Amino acid sequence: MKSNISEDKSSSIWSLIFSKNTFICSILGFSSGLPLFILVSLIPFWLKKENIDLKTIGVFSLLMFPYSWKFVWAPFLDAYFFRTVGRRRTWMFGTQILLLLLIGGLASADPHENMMFVSIGCILISFFSASQDIVIDAFRREILSDQELGFGNSVHVNLYRLSALVPGSLALILQDYMSWSSVFMTMAAFMLPGLMLTIFVAEPKIYHEVNSLKEAIVEPFWEFFQRRKLKGMLFFLLFLVLYKVGDSMATALITPFYVDMGFTNKEIAVTAKIIGTTSTVIGALLGGIAMMKIGINRSLWYFGWVQLVTILGFALLAVCGHDILVLALAVAGEYLGVGLGTAAFTAFIARETNPAFTATQFALFTSIAAVPRVFCNGATGFLVEQMGWLYFFILCTCIALPGLLLVRVIAPIEKKV
């Protein structure tokens, strides 16, 4: 009997891995991550190579504030859409088309001659990327069953992070052989797989019909307040802000850090970016499997410690300087922790979202979680110039601790859920 149960579980896992929903989550995860990594990885590298000062590059992260405010217009995406196309597919198609055009538009930009054009282009990419995230998160929550939730979100995180290889590694290699204009046109073309999927995928079931914009705004927030109450809601929101703040700050200026340590384009592309992304993917995949065994709550706790401790690998690299082995070990450790932590964190947010109010609640939770990336990361350039890289990474490690301790309040590890 035990053997049959084991075989059933194994069969269930394999059927889950190769399911249609897993494929959809992977393609949309890639489409969701690509514009963000163009902003946080390729743009800083481009500006650094164009000899733009570090303070300006750091402030550039403030242009991504739409990620922290996307819950403001999420109800609009619920209330208005083309019914013949579908509520989710209307906005997925629209945002993906605009992102393709905007990323391609950077091909004609010169940061020395027209920094305003570059800034406006980046903030528009940020806005429509955040809007794409709203609808993709809602779409994913609506197509996944409770049994698929952990693994489906893990796959999404995997491909979301894997998309970093395109602007963070491929683009760096291509730039040695072609102009920046051609590089940005190539980056834009990588939006096509998500766009094609949107055309052919089926619209998910509507759990709750929205009759007005007022209803789309009020009901999601009221349901969340009733479920968590005031004290629980405040602790929950604080946890969302603090859980990822340490590793978010640590990686905010990671490409300029590699450049300052003396690593070449190819060393950054091959060693740092590929190993980092591979480690993140492995971490997210292991996290998804582990969540089936130990639950989301315990995963938040255990994986949180991993992502905290591994930040110190960059502190070691700051001491050692140009050392390929230390670079590889630091990157592998840090991004393994990032993958594990992000998989658990994303699954937790999805679980806390009511399927009747998916878009607005998911947008609210992820917007709040993005606050450190927008505002804290904006100060990283100033902190590095004042403290140096070593003490900056030690500070990031200390900052990660409060969010980890909040896990015991928000998601008690005694509950295997």
Side-chain angles (χ1 to χ4, degrees), residues 100-146:
L100 188 152
L101 295 175
L102 287 165
I103 294 168
L106 290 177
S108 60
D110 185 330
H112 290 289
E113 294 183 1
N114 199 341
M115 180 60 82
M116 183 62 69
F117 179 83
V118 174
S119 301
I120 292 173
C122 288
I123 200 169
L124 287 174
I125 291 172
S126 175
F127 176 78
F128 289 111
S129 175
S131 301
Q132 182 192 213
D133 285 356
I134 293 172
V135 66
I136 285 179
D137 287 341
F139 183 92
R140 187 176 73 255
R141 181 67 178 94
E142 289 166 359
I143 65 171
L144 294 176
S145 65
D146 290 342

Short mmCIF file of all heavy atoms in Angstrom, two decimals, residues 100-146:
data_model
loop_
_atom_site.label_atom_id
_atom_site.label_comp_id
_atom_site.label_asym_id
_atom_site.label_seq_id
_atom_site.Cartn_x
_atom_site.Cartn_y
_atom_site.Cartn_z
N LEU A 100 7.46 46.11 -25.59
CA LEU A 100 8.29 45.78 -26.75
C LEU A 100 8.74 47.06 -27.46
O LEU A 100 9.92 47.24 -27.81
CB LEU A 100 7.51 44.87 -27.70
CG LEU A 100 8.28 44.27 -28.89
CD1 LEU A 100 7.64 42.93 -29.28
CD2 LEU A 100 8.26 45.20 -30.10
N LEU A 101 7.79 48.00 -27.66
CA LEU A 101 8.10 49.25 -28.35
C LEU A 101 9.01 50.16 -27.52
O LEU A 101 9.94 50.78 -28.05
CB LEU A 101 6.79 49.98 -28.69
CG LEU A 101 5.85 49.27 -29.67
CD1 LEU A 101 4.55 50.04 -29.81
CD2 LEU A 101 6.52 49.10 -31.03
N LEU A 102 8.77 50.23 -26.21
CA LEU A 102 9.56 51.12 -25.35
C LEU A 102 11.00 50.64 -25.18
O LEU A 102 11.94 51.44 -25.22
CB LEU A 102 8.89 51.24 -23.98
CG LEU A 102 7.62 52.09 -23.93
CD1 LEU A 102 6.86 51.84 -22.64
CD2 LEU A 102 7.96 53.57 -24.09
N ILE A 103 11.17 49.33 -25.01
CA ILE A 103 12.53 48.79 -24.88
C ILE A 103 13.29 49.01 -26.18
O ILE A 103 14.46 49.42 -26.19
CB ILE A 103 12.49 47.30 -24.51
CG1 ILE A 103 11.89 47.12 -23.11
CG2 ILE A 103 13.90 46.70 -24.55
CD1 ILE A 103 11.54 45.69 -22.76
N GLY A 104 12.62 48.76 -27.29
CA GLY A 104 13.24 49.01 -28.59
C GLY A 104 13.55 50.48 -28.79
O GLY A 104 14.52 50.85 -29.46
N GLY A 105 12.73 51.35 -28.17
CA GLY A 105 12.94 52.80 -28.30
C GLY A 105 14.22 53.28 -27.67
O GLY A 105 14.77 54.32 -28.08
N LEU A 106 14.74 52.56 -26.68
CA LEU A 106 16.02 52.94 -26.06
C LEU A 106 17.18 52.80 -27.04
O LEU A 106 18.28 53.29 -26.77
CB LEU A 106 16.27 52.09 -24.82
CG LEU A 106 15.37 52.37 -23.61
CD1 LEU A 106 15.70 51.39 -22.48
CD2 LEU A 106 15.52 53.81 -23.12
N ALA A 107 16.93 52.12 -28.16
CA ALA A 107 17.99 51.94 -29.17
C ALA A 107 18.46 53.28 -29.72
O ALA A 107 19.60 53.41 -30.17
CB ALA A 107 17.48 51.05 -30.31
N SER A 108 17.59 54.29 -29.69
CA SER A 108 17.96 55.59 -30.23
C SER A 108 18.40 56.58 -29.15
O SER A 108 18.57 57.77 -29.42
CB SER A 108 16.77 56.19 -31.00
OG SER A 108 15.65 56.36 -30.13
N ALA A 109 18.59 56.10 -27.91
CA ALA A 109 18.89 57.00 -26.79
C ALA A 109 20.39 57.17 -26.58
O ALA A 109 21.16 56.24 -26.79
CB ALA A 109 18.24 56.46 -25.51
N ASP A 110 20.77 58.35 -26.13
CA ASP A 110 22.15 58.65 -25.76
C ASP A 110 22.10 59.34 -24.40
O ASP A 110 21.63 60.48 -24.29
CB ASP A 110 22.80 59.58 -26.79
CG ASP A 110 24.29 59.81 -26.50
OD1 ASP A 110 24.67 59.78 -25.31
OD2 ASP A 110 25.05 60.03 -27.46
N PRO A 111 22.61 58.69 -23.34
CA PRO A 111 22.50 59.27 -21.99
C PRO A 111 23.28 60.58 -21.80
O PRO A 111 22.95 61.37 -20.92
CB PRO A 111 23.06 58.17 -21.08
CG PRO A 111 23.90 57.32 -21.97
CD PRO A 111 23.25 57.37 -23.31
N HIS A 112 24.27 60.83 -22.63
CA HIS A 112 25.04 62.07 -22.52
C HIS A 112 24.29 63.24 -23.16
O HIS A 112 24.27 64.35 -22.63
CB HIS A 112 26.40 61.91 -23.19
CG HIS A 112 27.33 61.01 -22.44
ND1 HIS A 112 27.89 61.36 -21.24
CD2 HIS A 112 27.78 59.76 -22.73
CE1 HIS A 112 28.66 60.37 -20.80
NE2 HIS A 112 28.61 59.38 -21.69
N GLU A 113 23.65 62.99 -24.29
CA GLU A 113 22.97 64.06 -25.02
C GLU A 113 21.55 64.30 -24.50
O GLU A 113 21.07 65.43 -24.54
CB GLU A 113 22.93 63.73 -26.52
CG GLU A 113 24.30 63.72 -27.18
CD GLU A 113 24.20 63.48 -28.67
OE1 GLU A 113 23.06 63.35 -29.18
OE2 GLU A 113 25.25 63.42 -29.33
N ASN A 114 20.87 63.25 -24.05
CA ASN A 114 19.48 63.42 -23.63
C ASN A 114 19.13 62.45 -22.51
O ASN A 114 18.44 61.45 -22.71
CB ASN A 114 18.54 63.20 -24.83
CG ASN A 114 17.17 63.79 -24.59
OD1 ASN A 114 16.79 64.05 -23.44
ND2 ASN A 114 16.42 63.99 -25.65
N MET A 115 19.61 62.77 -21.31
CA MET A 115 19.31 61.93 -20.15
C MET A 115 17.81 61.95 -19.82
O MET A 115 17.27 60.97 -19.31
CB MET A 115 20.12 62.40 -18.95
CG MET A 115 19.89 61.60 -17.67
SD MET A 115 20.33 59.84 -17.85
CE MET A 115 22.12 59.94 -17.61
N MET A 116 17.13 63.06 -20.14
CA MET A 116 15.69 63.14 -19.90
C MET A 116 14.93 62.09 -20.72
O MET A 116 14.01 61.45 -20.22
CB MET A 116 15.19 64.54 -20.24
CG MET A 116 13.70 64.75 -19.95
SD MET A 116 13.29 64.54 -18.20
CE MET A 116 14.09 66.00 -17.51
N PHE A 117 15.34 61.91 -21.97
CA PHE A 117 14.70 60.90 -22.82
C PHE A 117 14.90 59.51 -22.24
O PHE A 117 13.97 58.70 -22.20
CB PHE A 117 15.29 60.97 -24.24
CG PHE A 117 14.73 59.96 -25.19
CD1 PHE A 117 13.54 60.19 -25.85
CD2 PHE A 117 15.39 58.75 -25.42
CE1 PHE A 117 13.00 59.25 -26.73
CE2 PHE A 117 14.88 57.80 -26.29
CZ PHE A 117 13.67 58.06 -26.95
N VAL A 118 16.12 59.23 -21.77
CA VAL A 118 16.41 57.93 -21.16
C VAL A 118 15.57 57.74 -19.90
O VAL A 118 14.99 56.67 -19.69
CB VAL A 118 17.92 57.81 -20.82
CG1 VAL A 118 18.19 56.52 -20.05
CG2 VAL A 118 18.76 57.87 -22.08
N SER A 119 15.47 58.78 -19.08
CA SER A 119 14.72 58.70 -17.82
C SER A 119 13.23 58.45 -18.08
O SER A 119 12.62 57.59 -17.44
CB SER A 119 14.89 59.99 -17.01
OG SER A 119 16.23 60.23 -16.72
N ILE A 120 12.66 59.19 -19.03
CA ILE A 120 11.24 59.01 -19.36
C ILE A 120 11.00 57.62 -19.92
O ILE A 120 10.02 56.95 -19.57
CB ILE A 120 10.77 60.10 -20.35
CG1 ILE A 120 10.77 61.46 -19.67
CG2 ILE A 120 9.38 59.78 -20.89
CD1 ILE A 120 10.50 62.63 -20.60
N GLY A 121 11.90 57.16 -20.79
CA GLY A 121 11.76 55.82 -21.34
C GLY A 121 11.78 54.76 -20.27
O GLY A 121 10.97 53.83 -20.27
N CYS A 122 12.69 54.90 -19.30
CA CYS A 122 12.80 53.93 -18.21
C CYS A 122 11.59 53.94 -17.30
O CYS A 122 11.12 52.89 -16.86
CB CYS A 122 14.07 54.18 -17.41
SG CYS A 122 15.59 53.72 -18.29
N ILE A 123 11.07 55.12 -17.00
CA ILE A 123 9.91 55.19 -16.11
C ILE A 123 8.66 54.64 -16.79
O ILE A 123 7.80 54.02 -16.15
CB ILE A 123 9.68 56.62 -15.58
CG1 ILE A 123 8.82 56.58 -14.31
CG2 ILE A 123 9.04 57.52 -16.61
CD1 ILE A 123 8.76 57.89 -13.56
N LEU A 124 8.55 54.80 -18.10
CA LEU A 124 7.42 54.20 -18.84
C LEU A 124 7.55 52.69 -18.89
O LEU A 124 6.56 51.96 -18.75
CB LEU A 124 7.34 54.79 -20.25
CG LEU A 124 6.83 56.23 -20.36
CD1 LEU A 124 6.93 56.74 -21.79
CD2 LEU A 124 5.40 56.33 -19.85
N ILE A 125 8.76 52.21 -19.10
CA ILE A 125 8.99 50.76 -19.05
C ILE A 125 8.61 50.24 -17.67
O ILE A 125 7.96 49.19 -17.54
CB ILE A 125 10.46 50.43 -19.38
CG1 ILE A 125 10.76 50.72 -20.85
CG2 ILE A 125 10.77 48.96 -19.05
CD1 ILE A 125 12.23 50.59 -21.21
N SER A 126 9.01 50.97 -16.64
CA SER A 126 8.67 50.57 -15.27
C SER A 126 7.16 50.53 -15.06
O SER A 126 6.64 49.58 -14.48
CB SER A 126 9.32 51.56 -14.29
OG SER A 126 8.92 51.27 -12.97
N PHE A 127 6.44 51.55 -15.53
CA PHE A 127 4.99 51.62 -15.34
C PHE A 127 4.29 50.45 -16.03
O PHE A 127 3.45 49.77 -15.43
CB PHE A 127 4.45 52.95 -15.88
CG PHE A 127 2.95 53.05 -15.81
CD1 PHE A 127 2.31 53.34 -14.61
CD2 PHE A 127 2.18 52.83 -16.94
CE1 PHE A 127 0.93 53.42 -14.54
CE2 PHE A 127 0.79 52.91 -16.89
CZ PHE A 127 0.17 53.21 -15.68
N PHE A 128 4.62 50.21 -17.29
CA PHE A 128 3.92 49.16 -18.02
C PHE A 128 4.41 47.77 -17.62
O PHE A 128 3.67 46.80 -17.73
CB PHE A 128 4.05 49.38 -19.53
CG PHE A 128 3.25 50.55 -20.02
CD1 PHE A 128 3.85 51.70 -20.48
CD2 PHE A 128 1.86 50.50 -19.98
CE1 PHE A 128 3.11 52.79 -20.90
CE2 PHE A 128 1.08 51.58 -20.41
CZ PHE A 128 1.71 52.73 -20.86
N SER A 129 5.64 47.67 -17.13
CA SER A 129 6.11 46.41 -16.58
C SER A 129 5.36 46.08 -15.29
O SER A 129 4.94 44.93 -15.07
CB SER A 129 7.61 46.49 -16.30
OG SER A 129 8.08 45.31 -15.66
N ALA A 130 5.18 47.09 -14.42
CA ALA A 130 4.41 46.89 -13.20
C ALA A 130 2.97 46.53 -13.52
O ALA A 130 2.35 45.68 -12.86
CB ALA A 130 4.46 48.15 -12.34
N SER A 131 2.41 47.14 -14.56
CA SER A 131 1.04 46.84 -14.98
C SER A 131 0.94 45.41 -15.52
O SER A 131 -0.04 44.71 -15.26
CB SER A 131 0.58 47.84 -16.05
OG SER A 131 0.63 49.16 -15.57
N GLN A 132 1.96 45.00 -16.27
CA GLN A 132 1.99 43.62 -16.75
C GLN A 132 2.05 42.65 -15.57
O GLN A 132 1.37 41.61 -15.57
CB GLN A 132 3.20 43.39 -17.66
CG GLN A 132 3.26 41.97 -18.22
CD GLN A 132 4.57 41.63 -18.90
OE1 GLN A 132 4.60 40.87 -19.86
NE2 GLN A 132 5.68 42.14 -18.39
N ASP A 133 2.83 42.99 -14.55
CA ASP A 133 2.92 42.14 -13.36
C ASP A 133 1.55 41.99 -12.68
O ASP A 133 1.22 40.91 -12.19
CB ASP A 133 3.92 42.73 -12.36
CG ASP A 133 5.36 42.52 -12.78
OD1 ASP A 133 5.58 41.86 -13.82
OD2 ASP A 133 6.25 43.01 -12.09
N ILE A 134 0.79 43.08 -12.60
CA ILE A 134 -0.54 43.03 -11.98
C ILE A 134 -1.38 41.95 -12.64
O ILE A 134 -1.95 41.08 -11.97
CB ILE A 134 -1.27 44.39 -12.12
CG1 ILE A 134 -0.58 45.47 -11.30
CG2 ILE A 134 -2.74 44.25 -11.68
CD1 ILE A 134 -1.13 46.86 -11.56
N VAL A 135 -1.46 42.00 -13.95
CA VAL A 135 -2.37 41.10 -14.66
C VAL A 135 -1.82 39.68 -14.73
O VAL A 135 -2.57 38.70 -14.65
CB VAL A 135 -2.69 41.66 -16.07
CG1 VAL A 135 -1.49 41.70 -16.96
CG2 VAL A 135 -3.84 40.91 -16.71
N ILE A 136 -0.48 39.52 -14.85
CA ILE A 136 0.10 38.18 -14.88
C ILE A 136 -0.04 37.51 -13.52
O ILE A 136 -0.35 36.30 -13.44
CB ILE A 136 1.58 38.24 -15.33
CG1 ILE A 136 1.64 38.48 -16.84
CG2 ILE A 136 2.31 36.94 -14.98
CD1 ILE A 136 3.05 38.57 -17.40
N ASP A 137 0.18 38.24 -12.43
CA ASP A 137 0.00 37.68 -11.09
C ASP A 137 -1.44 37.23 -10.88
O ASP A 137 -1.69 36.16 -10.33
CB ASP A 137 0.38 38.71 -10.02
CG ASP A 137 1.88 38.93 -9.92
OD1 ASP A 137 2.64 38.06 -10.39
OD2 ASP A 137 2.29 39.97 -9.38
N ALA A 138 -2.38 38.07 -11.31
CA ALA A 138 -3.80 37.71 -11.18
C ALA A 138 -4.13 36.50 -12.05
O ALA A 138 -4.83 35.57 -11.61
CB ALA A 138 -4.67 38.90 -11.58
N PHE A 139 -3.64 36.49 -13.27
CA PHE A 139 -3.87 35.38 -14.19
C PHE A 139 -3.34 34.07 -13.60
O PHE A 139 -4.03 33.04 -13.62
CB PHE A 139 -3.18 35.69 -15.52
CG PHE A 139 -3.41 34.66 -16.60
CD1 PHE A 139 -4.44 34.79 -17.50
CD2 PHE A 139 -2.57 33.55 -16.72
CE1 PHE A 139 -4.66 33.84 -18.50
CE2 PHE A 139 -2.76 32.60 -17.69
CZ PHE A 139 -3.81 32.75 -18.60
N ARG A 140 -2.12 34.13 -13.06
CA ARG A 140 -1.50 32.93 -12.50
C ARG A 140 -2.29 32.42 -11.29
O ARG A 140 -2.52 31.22 -11.16
CB ARG A 140 -0.06 33.26 -12.10
CG ARG A 140 0.74 32.04 -11.64
CD ARG A 140 2.18 32.41 -11.36
NE ARG A 140 2.37 33.17 -10.14
CZ ARG A 140 2.61 34.47 -10.11
NH1 ARG A 140 2.69 35.18 -11.22
NH2 ARG A 140 2.77 35.09 -8.95
N ARG A 141 -2.71 33.32 -10.41
CA ARG A 141 -3.48 32.91 -9.24
C ARG A 141 -4.80 32.28 -9.62
O ARG A 141 -5.29 31.36 -8.96
CB ARG A 141 -3.72 34.14 -8.34
CG ARG A 141 -4.50 33.83 -7.06
CD ARG A 141 -3.68 32.95 -6.14
NE ARG A 141 -4.36 32.67 -4.89
CZ ARG A 141 -5.12 31.59 -4.66
NH1 ARG A 141 -5.31 30.71 -5.63
NH2 ARG A 141 -5.66 31.39 -3.48
N GLU A 142 -5.39 32.74 -10.71
CA GLU A 142 -6.71 32.27 -11.13
C GLU A 142 -6.66 30.93 -11.87
O GLU A 142 -7.64 30.18 -11.86
CB GLU A 142 -7.39 33.33 -11.99
CG GLU A 142 -7.82 34.55 -11.18
CD GLU A 142 -8.19 35.76 -12.02
OE1 GLU A 142 -8.11 35.67 -13.27
OE2 GLU A 142 -8.56 36.79 -11.43
N ILE A 143 -5.53 30.61 -12.50
CA ILE A 143 -5.47 29.33 -13.22
C ILE A 143 -4.92 28.20 -12.36
O ILE A 143 -5.12 27.02 -12.68
CB ILE A 143 -4.64 29.43 -14.53
CG1 ILE A 143 -3.17 29.72 -14.22
CG2 ILE A 143 -5.23 30.46 -15.47
CD1 ILE A 143 -2.26 29.60 -15.44
N LEU A 144 -4.23 28.52 -11.26
CA LEU A 144 -3.61 27.49 -10.43
C LEU A 144 -4.57 27.01 -9.33
O LEU A 144 -5.19 27.83 -8.65
CB LEU A 144 -2.33 28.01 -9.78
CG LEU A 144 -1.16 28.35 -10.71
CD1 LEU A 144 -0.01 28.96 -9.90
CD2 LEU A 144 -0.69 27.12 -11.47
N SER A 145 -4.66 25.70 -9.18
CA SER A 145 -5.42 25.13 -8.08
C SER A 145 -4.61 25.25 -6.79
O SER A 145 -3.42 25.59 -6.83
CB SER A 145 -5.75 23.66 -8.35
OG SER A 145 -4.54 22.90 -8.38
N ASP A 146 -5.22 24.96 -5.65
CA ASP A 146 -4.49 25.02 -4.37
C ASP A 146 -3.30 24.07 -4.37
O ASP A 146 -2.26 24.36 -3.79
CB ASP A 146 -5.44 24.67 -3.21
CG ASP A 146 -6.47 25.76 -2.97
OD1 ASP A 146 -6.26 26.89 -3.46
OD2 ASP A 146 -7.49 25.48 -2.31
#
